[in-house]
Amino acid sequence: MQQIKGLIFNVQRYSIHDGPGIRTLVFIKGCPLRCLWCCNPEGQLARPEVMYFRNYCTRCRKCVEVCPAGAIKLRNGDVVFDKNLCNSCGTCVEVCPNNARKLVGMYVTVDDILKEVLKDMKFYARSGGGLTVGGGEPFSQHEFLKELLWKAKEYSIHTAVETSLYTSTNLISGVMKHVDYLFVDIKHIDPVKHMKLTGVSNELILNNIRYVIEEGLIGPKDFVIRIPIIPNVNDDHENLKGISEFISSLKYEVSVELLPYHELGKHKYEALGRDYPLSSLTSVFIPPKEHMIKVIEFLTSLGVRIVNT
Amino acid sequence: MSFKGDKDSRALRIKLLKSHVLIDREIDVNRALLVTESYRETEGEPPPIRRAKALRKVLSEMPIHILDGELIVGNQSHKPRAGPLFPEWQVDKILNEMHSWPTRPGDKFKITDEEMQLLRKTLSYWKGKTVMDRVLTLLPDTCKRAMKYGVFSVYNYITSGHGHFVPDFEKVLKLGLNGIKDEVINALNNIDETDPYYYDKVIFYKSLLITADAVIHFAKRYASLARELAVKEMNLRRKMELERVAEICDNVPANPARNFWEALQSVWFILLTAQIEQNGLAVALGRFDQYMYPYYINDVNKGLLDDESALELIEAFYIKTNVINKVYDNEGAVINAGPALGQVITLGGVTRDGEDAVNELTYLCLKADAEVGLMQPDFAIRLHPKISEEFLVFLTKHIAKNPSKVKLFNDMAVIPALINVGVTLEDARDYALLGCSEAIIPGKTCSGGNFGQINLAKCLELALNEGRVMWYYDGKEFHLHPNNADVIVGLPTGNPEEFKTYYDLWDAFRSQLSYAVKLLVTTVNIIDRVQAELTPHPLFSLVTEGCIESGLDFTNGGALYNFTAPIAIGPITVSDSLAAIKYLVFDKEEITMKELMKQLRNNFEGGDGEYLRLRLIHESPKFGNDNRYVDEIASQVIRAYVDEISRYENPRGGRFVASVYSLTGNVSYGWRTGPTPDGRKGGEPLNDNISPTIGRDLKGPTAVIKSLSRIDSQLLPQGYIFNLKFSPSMINDDTKVMRFVSFIRSLLDFGIFHTQFNIISADTLREAQKHPERYRGLLVRVAGYCAYFVELSKEVQDHIIARTEHENV
């Protein structure tokens, strides 16, 4: 039988920040949100893309010679890559000896992924770990997601999903049947600001959070709400207060994990030929420890249970 | 009298004692002068007697001291942190190189002009008489040539005694040296006069008696000194301590230890004098938490000792181990970077009955190290399926704070490996570690650990060049294609460009390896015999089961178990190289042998060379990524070495066994090895120990462990060294502690023989490189041992920084 194929951009073994124990993290490619601080921009578009890491490039010009689309040119001894002409055929990636060119996004079957996931079964068994599906947005390929999770459960692998829950509500319960642990982000409580920061409104997200809880699709011990803390963007008291009010209105107490803003994904924008969306916002900074402690103290005073370490 | 300590006074004492040893190192010329004088006096006597008398002269005439605050006494030199010289083994390098020791890149030692003058005058006696001289006159040219071009080397055992030993401390503590002397006298009185070796045995036993008395007398000197100091001491508390020290040194090691403190002092005297006898590396402490336990629990039950005071004594003991220093010549300072001596304390494991051996003292021993944190001693933790979660949690928290000081061993890998080379089940369960990863049976083994080092990558170079060296390092510069007649150091295995299949290449490598091992074995066995003849080890023999019974010296096959275990260097560089050729040349046919050889011979210079080099790096599978293709080649490479080395016997009635680690030899052998088909340029470091090549393992630690699990560790009784990369943030809360505990269990599941950690950030190391004065105490794990980072040569420092960079994922 022909298996459906999914588009993923990475499989990361020994992942220890995305659910209990030692896990393998599968990154689904494609996301309906465009968060300004996104650290995995290569996960946004639902098609393969070529990334070009300039600092690995030795200007050997092999890629210039082979590109069938004429997207790579030599200008004043330097390599210039025109993303708009690129059709992601990957020919340049094959000839590049430096790994300076990388094709992100591969179409794989569920069995392909499981083969990789099963390699660390012994570590899951010892540590209480398993499979985590993140992205991108896993629900953007919900059929593939459902099959992957279902097959993992056939092997009794613990499953976790990291999602924005920006998805049609009627797709959720089918997937959640196979999910043991759930991470959902709340990025801003104000729908207008949410739209500005992520490109979509948050109403569907908040409704879906309420939905999974009310329907009992996940238990309180297995549900974590994550808030990215982006200084001067979403860490004002008003927003934090609004989020905490929403959380306390839920049917049970949910654990909250704060994700401090970082810039580890910044170079990937350049590799994708895109501008870093936050670079125009000069007031953003990487929050030092004291900053995070203040946020944690404030949220705790509002009765939010923070599980940060 | 009981000894009571508390946390505050302990901290003060430890600070004081540490200040005695955290100072620059100096050369001690005194021992060399005394030994030379003794040898002049004993001209014409049999070598065992001359050895015993030389040791007696040193122990009875060297200046001794007791430093402020010391609870355990006994010094190797008259200076607190100095290295004595041992001209019996080699003298030329002492005389030729000593002027460079204060300023050489790593392992510096101060020496004055007057001292050098004195040495020049006195040590000329030794010319032509040393172990080195004797070996060199006998050694075939084929062996010398192979060593010159970096195929193998035999550094340790040609420049000092055996070392690599764990004395039978349990017996010393139970019987005292007087009890052991009684055994010797009994054996001496009962030799059958018609025994054809009557002469040898009488001499041997006499050497033991002289030695035992010399050690007992040495202790008595400390008793007298302590008494003198006590009389003068104004501080009442210190006065009482000194009186106690006097009482202890009067009793041990001559007699059985009566309590914990005496047991520690007795162990220290044996360890110290064993070092003074022969200067060999890795005289280790064995299963410290096992043989010390009866003395600990007995004192505790009698109310004479509590854990606070036990800690203070243990810590004072640990600090003492740092007074032992070994002076390497300039070559040795590169191979064995850092002044560590492999003084391993083995903790945990199973008992001789197979039960969990962890006890209260196991915990105290680790706690004490956390409080002291000096370079020596080193800790080997034996783990097994029955070990408690409680201990693993404690251990994990200890590792989080002291990552560099602990190495983990897996009983389920080590015990079968020992049984496989003829050790009984109960003895195998009783194993202890010494040096880096060498598992031996304490008090019963002449281990031959690290007896020679073979460069597997050079064997590959020879296979790719018809037995000729492609690359030569003269100590200063690299030479591609040294153009003289004697560059043939291997066998004519054919033109690589005409290899038709991968197996042609493999056969060529196997032939070169086989030949190199043969040359190594020839050399090593000659050294073994010269040591037995010129430098017997009567003190080692006193405290090794089998020697008194057989009437044979430790160096002459007296020990119950006898091994010779040369180490293999660069196995992963070779495996990645073989995999690259197999995959890209023979499977995919994307590169021809001709093209590859052209670029190899040219050290990948130029645009085409660099392009090919990068393809070799990126397009073929590399060890450490859970990829069977290359992992199986690695397994075959190691198996090939095991098969070759296991064919040979040593002159002590034992056999050769394999081990795989490199110390920092991967750097120095890298200098001596030409470009390799894994994309490594000539002169660059080989892979570290059995760890993946730096930067080539891309899938995280679980994949590395799975790759490593495909190496059959049960073939390697003296082990391998595996450096695991991980960052400290991994274990900073309870969830993470439990995750790490599970990770340790996984290491056991996969049969990993040895694992150690090195998790200081690269930034810290760079700072230390810039400001060594601020980072005196910064410890890093170099190979199977730790070193003070600032004392390493810049090259080794850079290597460790590179290794560290990569680990912060």
Side-chain angles (χ1 to χ4, degrees):
Chain A
M1 195 188 82
Q2 185 82 30
Q3 278 199 25
I4 52 164
K5 287 201 170 185
L7 181 65
I8 65 166
F9 67 97
N10 199 6
V11 177
Q12 184 186 307
R13 291 165 70 176
Y14 196 73
S15 175
I16 53 172
H17 301 290
D18 306 277
I22 292 167
R23 313 187 71 82
T24 296
L25 183 47
V26 174
F27 293 81
I28 299 279
K29 192 156 158 58
C31 181
L33 274 61
R34 289 291 177 273
C35 306
L36 297 180
W37 53 83
C38 179
C39 63
N40 285 328
E42 75 276 34
Q44 292 177 352
L45 292 183
R47 58 173 169 80
E49 290 170 90
V50 171
M51 293 174 88
Y52 169 51
F53 295 91
R54 182 164 283 277
N55 52 334
Y56 295 135
C57 175
T58 54
R59 316 293 188 266
C60 76
R61 298 187 297 238
K62 301 260 177 212
C63 54
V64 181
E65 288 158 22
V66 299
C67 178
I72 316 172
K73 295 203 177 67
L74 207 62
R75 209 169 290 153
N76 303 330
D78 204 4
V79 172
V80 181
F81 179 37
D82 185 346
K83 278 276 291 191
N84 295 326
L85 295 176
C86 173
N87 58 17
S88 304
C89 68
T91 316
C92 59
V93 176
E94 271 173 40
V95 300
C96 178
N98 299 304
N99 281 3
R101 307 189 73 86
K102 191 176 156 196
L103 186 65
V104 280
M106 46 204 153
Y107 288 99
V108 292
T109 65
V110 163
D111 284 353
D112 292 335
I113 298 186
L114 270 180
K115 210 174 132 196
E116 196 66 17
V117 171
L118 286 169
K119 285 182 176 172
D120 278 349
M121 275 293 267
K122 262 177 133 50
F123 293 94
Y124 311 150
R126 281 289 184 197
S127 66
L131 163 70
T132 298
V133 187
E137 170 50 60
F139 274 93
S140 70
Q141 298 177 42
H142 72 275
E143 283 297 335
F144 180 72
L145 173 68
K146 201 158 73 182
E147 188 172 320
L148 174 60
L149 294 169
W150 171 71
K151 281 235 168 137
K153 291 317 290 181
E154 293 275 286
Y155 290 95
S156 295
I157 296 173
H158 183 272
T159 57
V161 170
E162 294 172 325
T163 171
S164 68
L165 277 187
Y166 187 79
T167 186
S168 169
T169 309
N170 58 22
L171 296 177
I172 294 176
S173 68
V175 169
M176 287 303 296
K177 258 189 269 176
H178 313 297
V179 176
D180 298 314
Y181 206 90
L182 187 66
F183 294 96
V184 183
D185 280 11
I186 298 181
K187 301 165 203 281
H188 209 288
I189 200 65
D190 180 78
V192 178
K193 285 193 177 145
H194 195 278
M195 171 74 91
K196 226 173 106 187
L197 296 173
T198 72
V200 303
S201 170
N202 65 4
E203 282 152 329
L204 180 60
I205 292 170
L206 298 178
N207 283 340
N208 282 342
I209 291 176
R210 208 175 285 284
Y211 170 79
V212 293
I213 292 179
E214 310 245 312
E215 294 294 312
L217 298 178
I218 196 87
K221 282 185 184 152
D222 301 315
F223 189 19
V224 173
I225 286 180
R226 282 169 161 174
I227 310 173
I229 298 297
I230 322 294
N232 292 326
V233 174
N234 74 345
D235 68 338
D236 52 289
H237 280 193
E238 193 188 337
N239 180 40
L240 296 176
K241 214 165 153 227
I243 293 176
S244 72
E245 277 162 13
F246 172 78
I247 290 170
S248 56
S249 76
L250 295 169
K251 200 169 147 193
Y252 58 64
E253 192 188 10
V254 179
S255 299
V256 171
E257 185 182 357
L258 304 182
L259 304 176
Y261 170 68
H262 62 80
E263 295 183 347
L264 299 177
K266 208 169 172 177
H267 68 291
K268 292 197 265 186
Y269 284 89
E270 198 202 326
L272 288 164
R274 288 164 51 181
D275 290 331
Y276 189 57
L278 277 187
S279 57
S280 55
L281 256 176
T282 48
S283 55
V284 173
F285 58 90
I286 296 165
K289 209 171 174 183
E290 310 81 65
H291 187 93
M292 290 306 295
I293 289 170
K294 273 189 196 154
V295 176
I296 291 172
E297 281 171 359
F298 182 66
L299 283 168
T300 311
S301 74
L302 299 174
V304 177
R305 186 173 63 190
I306 308 285
V307 293
N308 272 59
T309 52
Chain B
M1 192 194 97
S2 68
F3 171 75
K4 295 281 182 196
D6 61 65
K7 204 167 179 205
D8 293 340
S9 68
R10 177 165 81 244
L12 281 174
R13 185 191 305 274
I14 296 319
K15 201 173 161 199
L16 173 65
L17 293 180
K18 277 170 82 168
S19 72
H20 298 324
V21 294
L22 278 178
I23 52 174
D24 287 343
R25 293 185 294 167
E26 301 170 76
I27 291 292
D28 162 23
V29 297
N30 205 22
R31 184 206 174 269
L33 303 180
L34 287 172
V35 164
T36 311
E37 203 181 313
S38 173
Y39 264 72
R40 285 183 191 279
E41 289 162 6
T42 60
E43 213 61 80
E45 296 186 45
I49 301 295
R50 299 185 80 185
R51 290 305 300 157
K53 287 186 175 172
L55 181 65
R56 183 174 70 188
K57 186 164 191 88
V58 173
L59 295 183
S60 57
E61 294 184 26
M62 67 179 266
I64 62 167
H65 58 245
I66 294 174
L67 299 173
D68 197 15
E70 282 193 322
L71 297 174
I72 306 293
V73 300
N75 42 292
Q76 184 198 22
S77 158
H78 59 293
K79 301 168 184 170
R81 196 170 180 231
L85 300 172
F86 290 71
E88 306 98 295
W89 278 273
Q90 69 166 344
V91 73
D92 293 343
K93 286 202 174 169
I94 296 177
L95 295 174
N96 297 338
E97 294 180 356
M98 59 189 175
H99 65 278
S100 69
W101 292 342
T103 51
R104 63 184 177 185
D107 260 7
K108 297 180 174 58
F109 281 90
K110 287 185 197 164
I111 184 168
T112 66
D113 287 345
E114 296 73 42
E115 287 170 333
M116 284 194 276
Q117 199 81 38
L118 202 53
L119 288 176
R120 267 185 218 110
K121 214 175 79 194
T122 316
L123 296 192
S124 55
Y125 168 82
W126 291 99
K127 293 229 171 198
K129 297 192 176 82
T130 65
V131 168
M132 176 78 88
D133 294 327
R134 184 68 65 91
V135 171
L136 289 181
T137 54
L138 277 168
L139 206 58
D141 285 343
T142 45
C143 298
K144 285 185 188 164
R145 211 156 47 215
M147 284 198 280
K148 177 181 172 190
Y149 287 106
V151 180
F152 70 91
S153 80
V154 287
Y155 182 80
N156 283 324
Y157 288 69
I158 205 171
T159 55
S160 63
H162 275 249
H164 298 88
F165 173 55
V166 177
D168 193 344
F169 290 117
E170 196 176 333
K171 184 174 179 184
V172 174
L173 295 178
K174 269 190 194 141
L175 303 182
L177 289 180
N178 281 332
I180 297 176
K181 259 177 72 185
D182 288 345
E183 286 182 4
V184 177
I185 291 165
N186 193 35
L188 182 59
N189 291 339
N190 286 300
I191 315 175
D192 174 0
E193 284 89 343
T194 63
D195 184 330
Y197 291 99
Y198 175 78
Y199 166 81
D200 305 76
K201 287 186 178 177
V202 170
I203 287 169
F204 168 66
Y205 289 130
K206 286 194 167 163
S207 75
L208 297 196
L209 294 175
I210 296 169
T211 302
D213 285 336
V215 175
I216 293 169
H217 175 68
F218 185 53
K220 302 264 185 209
R221 290 180 69 202
Y222 283 96
S224 309
L225 176 61
R227 221 162 260 126
E228 275 171 42
L229 292 171
V231 171
K232 288 184 234 156
E233 181 62 54
M234 302 303 286
N235 179 319
L236 197 61
R237 190 176 159 176
R238 181 62 186 156
K239 194 185 191 71
M240 285 165 66
E241 279 171 14
L242 286 165
E243 282 165 358
R244 184 75 198 274
V245 166
E247 186 193 317
I248 289 169
C249 294
D250 263 336
N251 191 49
V252 293
N255 300 306
R258 294 169 299 191
N259 53 51
F260 189 68
W261 192 347
E262 283 196 356
L264 283 171
Q265 181 64 60
S266 188
V267 167
W268 173 242
F269 274 132
I270 298 302
L271 188 80
L272 176 64
T273 50
Q275 200 66 38
I276 294 174
E277 175 177 54
Q278 52 79 53
N279 196 35
L281 273 179
V283 181
L285 282 151
R287 302 188 73 183
F288 192 78
D289 59 345
Q290 304 302 303
Y291 63 75
M292 290 299 295
Y293 187 71
Y295 302 91
Y296 162 80
I297 200 68
N298 194 34
D299 283 7
V300 168
N301 288 343
K302 282 194 205 150
L304 299 174
L305 190 77
D306 59 19
D307 282 358
E308 293 291 323
S309 40
L311 274 175
E312 189 156 346
L313 288 167
I314 296 170
E315 290 174 20
F317 176 85
Y318 286 178
I319 293 170
K320 247 331 184 175
T321 62
N322 289 273
V323 308
I324 294 183
N325 282 287
K326 179 178 164 78
V327 184
Y328 291 105
D329 62 31
N330 291 348
E331 180 194 352
V334 173
I335 305 170
N336 305 291
L341 289 173
Q343 297 174 328
V344 182
I345 285 185
T346 301
L347 300 173
V350 294
T351 62
R352 293 179 69 87
D353 306 322
E355 290 304 312
D356 183 12
V358 171
N359 59 39
E360 300 95 300
L361 204 48
T362 317
Y363 289 83
L364 282 183
C365 286
L366 286 173
K367 269 185 202 157
D369 187 54
E371 293 191 359
V372 174
L374 287 175
M375 183 183 61
Q376 290 165 185
D378 205 4
F379 291 84
I381 317 295
R382 286 180 45 182
L383 302 174
H384 54 87
K386 288 185 193 173
I387 203 129
S388 72
E389 238 54 29
E390 181 198 349
F391 179 70
L392 286 183
V393 166
F394 174 82
L395 177 65
T396 296
K397 290 181 174 173
H398 180 80
I399 291 171
K401 290 195 188 118
N402 313 277
S404 307
K405 284 298 294 288
V406 172
K407 42 192 179 186
L408 308 181
F409 287 85
N410 181 356
D411 282 4
M412 305 313 283
V414 181
I415 292 171
L418 286 166
I419 291 173
N420 189 40
V421 292
V423 175
T424 66
L425 173 64
E426 290 199 334
D427 276 354
R429 284 173 175 159
D430 204 23
Y431 80 89
L433 285 310
L434 57 82
C436 294
S437 65
E438 301 96 303
I440 56 91
I441 315 311
K444 299 181 180 182
T445 312
C446 178
S447 72
N450 195 1
F451 203 152
Q453 313 174 324
I454 186 161
N455 181 355
L456 301 181
K458 196 75 183 181
C459 296
L460 180 64
E461 179 185 319
L462 296 174
L464 289 170
N465 208 34
E466 306 183 57
R468 294 162 168 273
V469 296
M470 213 187 279
W471 182 270
Y472 172 53
Y473 175 63
D474 63 12
K476 289 188 188 84
E477 279 176 45
F478 297 134
H479 305 274
L480 192 56
H481 310 297
N483 193 19
N484 51 40
D486 70 356
V487 294
I488 300 175
V489 298
L491 298 174
T493 44
N495 182 352
E497 292 180 22
E498 284 159 22
F499 289 163
K500 293 284 174 290
T501 69
Y502 169 71
Y503 297 97
D504 292 340
L505 169 68
W506 173 255
D507 288 346
F509 170 70
R510 267 308 295 258
S511 302
Q512 301 295 352
L513 175 64
S514 176
Y515 183 64
V517 166
K518 202 171 134 190
L519 297 180
L520 170 73
V521 167
T522 305
T523 310
V524 161
N525 278 342
I526 289 173
I527 297 169
D528 210 328
R529 286 312 295 156
V530 172
Q531 289 255 13
E533 184 200 340
L534 293 185
T535 53
H537 294 12
L539 177 50
F540 276 38
S541 307
L542 264 179
V543 289
T544 304
E545 188 177 329
C547 293
I548 298 173
E549 294 84 341
S550 64
L552 291 171
D553 190 84
F554 180 88
T555 57
N556 200 20
L560 195 60
Y561 297 112
N562 282 285
F563 300 109
T564 301
I567 63 178
I569 293 177
I572 304 307
T573 300
V574 170
S575 307
D576 286 351
S577 297
L578 290 173
I581 297 178
K582 184 171 191 238
Y583 188 75
L584 292 171
V585 176
F586 295 111
D587 289 4
K588 297 269 161 185
E589 297 183 353
E590 289 184 9
I591 297 171
T592 62
M593 275 312 282
K594 196 172 170 176
E595 204 181 328
L596 175 68
M597 288 314 304
K598 184 182 162 198
Q599 300 306 341
L600 274 179
R601 290 191 187 110
N602 203 22
N603 197 19
F604 300 115
E605 297 300 334
D608 288 349
E610 181 62 9
Y611 181 60
L612 181 70
R613 192 178 80 83
L614 292 166
R615 288 192 65 190
L616 292 167
I617 291 174
H618 296 303
E619 291 176 25
S620 70
K622 297 286 182 287
F623 182 79
N625 295 291
D626 193 5
N627 180 322
R628 276 182 188 276
Y629 187 94
V630 55
D631 295 351
E632 275 164 15
I633 290 176
S635 166
Q636 285 155 6
V637 167
I638 301 227
R639 177 89 216 192
Y641 174 61
V642 171
D643 286 349
E644 288 303 328
I645 203 79
S646 307
R647 291 207 254 153
Y648 298 99
E649 288 174 6
N650 66 32
R652 285 170 277 114
R655 54 184 286 190
F656 280 75
V657 297
S659 56
V660 181
Y661 54 90
S662 57
L663 308 163
T664 52
N666 66 311
V667 175
S668 57
Y669 278 99
W671 296 337
R672 290 150 187 251
T673 307
T676 40
D678 61 337
R680 176 190 148 279
K681 293 183 97 169
E684 289 180 358
L686 306 175
N687 80 284
D688 165 63
N689 297 292
I690 204 160
S691 314
T693 304
I694 287 175
R696 303 281 180 267
D697 56 314
L698 306 172
K699 295 196 168 174
T702 57
V704 176
I705 285 162
K706 287 194 68 189
S707 284
L708 188 55
S709 75
R710 297 193 175 107
I711 308 278
D712 189 349
S713 59
Q714 295 186 8
L715 294 173
L716 306 168
Q718 296 205 13
Y720 57 60
I721 290 179
F722 167 49
N723 279 306
L724 182 71
K725 308 156 195 162
F726 83 136
S727 79
S729 66
M730 278 167 51
I731 36 181
N732 60 3
D733 72 53
D734 285 348
T735 320
K736 290 174 187 165
V737 167
M738 290 318 289
R739 182 160 52 211
F740 194 77
V741 166
S742 78
F743 190 71
I744 293 176
R745 291 268 182 212
S746 294
L747 292 172
L748 299 185
D749 292 342
F750 281 106
I752 305 303
F753 192 101
H754 161 284
T755 309
Q756 64 190 22
F757 311 96
N758 209 339
I759 59 178
I760 293 147
S761 80
D763 286 342
T764 309
L765 296 179
R766 253 186 237 107
E767 273 301 296
Q769 212 173 24
K770 262 187 254 161
H771 307 285
E773 67 285 359
R774 288 184 219 158
Y775 292 89
R776 271 215 103 100
L778 178 64
L779 276 178
V780 288
R781 192 165 268 291
V782 178
Y785 59 88
C786 301
Y788 293 115
F789 182 76
V790 300
E791 292 182 357
L792 299 170
S793 72
K794 181 159 186 304
E795 246 145 341
V796 174
Q797 287 181 346
D798 287 344
H799 179 73
I800 291 173
I801 290 174
R803 189 166 83 192
T804 311
E805 294 257 88
H806 179 62
E807 74 200 18
N808 290 328
V809 275

